[in-house]
Amino acid sequence: MTTDDPRAELASLAASLRVYLEWHQESGTIGFARRPRPETAAAEVAPAASAQVVETPPAAAKDAAPGTANDPPPAAAKDAPPAAEARHTRLPLLAAEVASCTRCALAPTRTQTVFARGNPDAALVFVGEGPGADEDAQGLPFVGRAGQLLDRMIAAMGLSPERDVYVCNIVKCRPPGNRKPEPEEIAACMPYLQEQLALVHPRVIVALGNTAVAALLDTKLGITKVRGQWKLYRGQTLVMPTYHPSYLLRPSPQQIEAKREAWQDLQLVMKELGLAAPAPTPRS
Ligand code: SF4
């Protein structure tokens, strides 16, 4: 962000540095990213092409190569990205459709639907499970404690949560009592996410937690089995599975290690996107 007011700019820089340091403190890592990253890395400009929404995943998506932590699996030729104009025209219409949706049992108990936040032109998308109480109240994903942690993780990558990433969920309505969404609720809501992802056309998706991993990758493997390994969504788009921020917030010795692992996963994403590589050093 640039501004004519040097004090405002300094305050903004200090805020960014603070969230960066807070995440590294929480994740047990130290080290500074060599900013700035290339402008094009996280917010690519889509070339003009007709919008193409894939409704049915190709078989390759289900059988995506397992990949390794360092080597993304080979992806099939990607569908042409939608024109930015189509993206910006269709996404608000899709959000409006979602706002009046009654396809599943979550509709009667929601306060409002929760579609997305961030930049739909971003090359990096985070997908979580579903709205909680704060999100249901505000109509935006990841605005509670887990969302604040996610923003610190994003800032630690040298990115702006508003400018450089797009954030959404598997289901758009809050499951009562913050329970997990049922399979039929996920199945009812997935077409919205599929169209969202086709329109945003990210280079990388970060799947946060078990529900996002299972729905995007059609796998029963738990997050501890797949985190840190590149996968493919619909055989085309790279997916990095990692822990959900709400899991990382639970105070226990496992969570300290999980935060380090989550940071390792995000570093792989940074490498793939050509972002400046930080050199975090584990404390122990
Ligand atoms: Fe519709 Fe999805 Fe909400 Fe269910 S969760 S009512 S499918 S928007």
Side-chain angles (χ1 to χ4, degrees):
M1 184 182 77
T2 58
T3 170
D4 292 336
D5 181 348
R7 280 186 300 184
E9 187 156 11
L10 193 59
S12 172
L13 283 171
S16 297
L17 183 60
R18 189 173 62 246
V19 292
Y20 174 86
L21 291 171
E22 281 172 355
W23 163 251
H24 280 295
Q25 206 167 23
E26 289 174 76
S27 61
T29 59
I30 58 172
F32 292 85
R34 291 189 297 274
R35 296 178 76 181
R37 63 179 179 80
E39 265 309 307
T40 53
E44 61 187 3
V45 178
S50 60
Q52 186 172 4
V53 179
V54 180
E55 293 297 339
T56 309
K62 189 169 181 178
D63 304 322
T68 69
N70 294 317
D71 301 317
K78 234 180 154 181
D79 295 332
E85 190 184 341
R87 176 182 304 144
H88 289 276
T89 304
R90 177 60 190 147
L91 279 171
L93 296 175
L94 186 62
E97 284 176 31
V98 166
S100 60
C101 177
T102 55
R103 278 186 199 169
C104 85
L106 297 181
T109 53
R110 73 186 177 214
T111 302
Q112 58 192 317
T113 55
V114 176
F115 190 68
R117 69 173 167 99
N119 182 359
D121 294 323
L124 178 58
V125 168
F126 288 83
V127 179
E129 177 179 287
D134 293 318
E135 291 76 17
D136 181 62
Q138 296 188 40
L140 291 168
F142 284 95
V143 290
R145 281 186 69 221
Q148 289 160 15
L149 176 58
L150 178 63
D151 283 355
R152 291 201 288 279
M153 295 159 72
I154 293 167
M157 299 171 78
L159 301 175
S160 154
E162 294 80 26
R163 185 195 61 204
D164 296 324
V165 304
Y166 185 81
V167 181
C168 53
N169 281 312
I170 297 295
V171 294
K172 314 302 189 198
C173 302
R174 181 195 181 198
N178 290 348
R179 65 161 169 77
K180 284 194 173 301
E182 298 292 343
E184 55 272 22
E185 294 159 354
I186 292 172
C189 212
M190 273 303 283
Y192 294 131
L193 179 65
Q194 287 163 355
E195 184 168 355
Q196 245 178 324
L197 292 175
L199 288 162
V200 176
H201 204 78
R203 280 175 56 198
V204 172
I205 299 167
V206 176
L208 299 166
N210 277 321
T211 301
V213 166
L216 289 170
L217 303 175
D218 193 15
T219 178
K220 289 191 169 30
L221 290 174
I223 188 67
T224 55
K225 294 274 194 304
V226 295
R227 62 140 287 272
Q229 300 172 36
W230 284 113
K231 304 287 183 186
L232 288 172
Y233 166 69
R234 297 190 155 192
Q236 297 185 340
T237 306
L238 286 172
V239 175
M240 175 52 67
T242 195
Y243 297 112
H244 194 285
S246 61
Y247 173 76
L248 299 177
L249 283 170
R250 292 178 206 161
S252 79
Q254 287 78 18
Q255 269 52 50
I256 294 170
E257 181 60 22
K259 280 181 180 171
R260 288 185 202 176
E261 291 176 339
W263 180 236
Q264 288 170 6
D265 303 342
L266 295 183
Q267 285 181 280
L268 293 172
V269 172
M270 293 169 68
K271 184 180 173 194
E272 180 61 29
L273 291 175
L275 302 177
T281 307
R283 280 180 185 153
S284 59

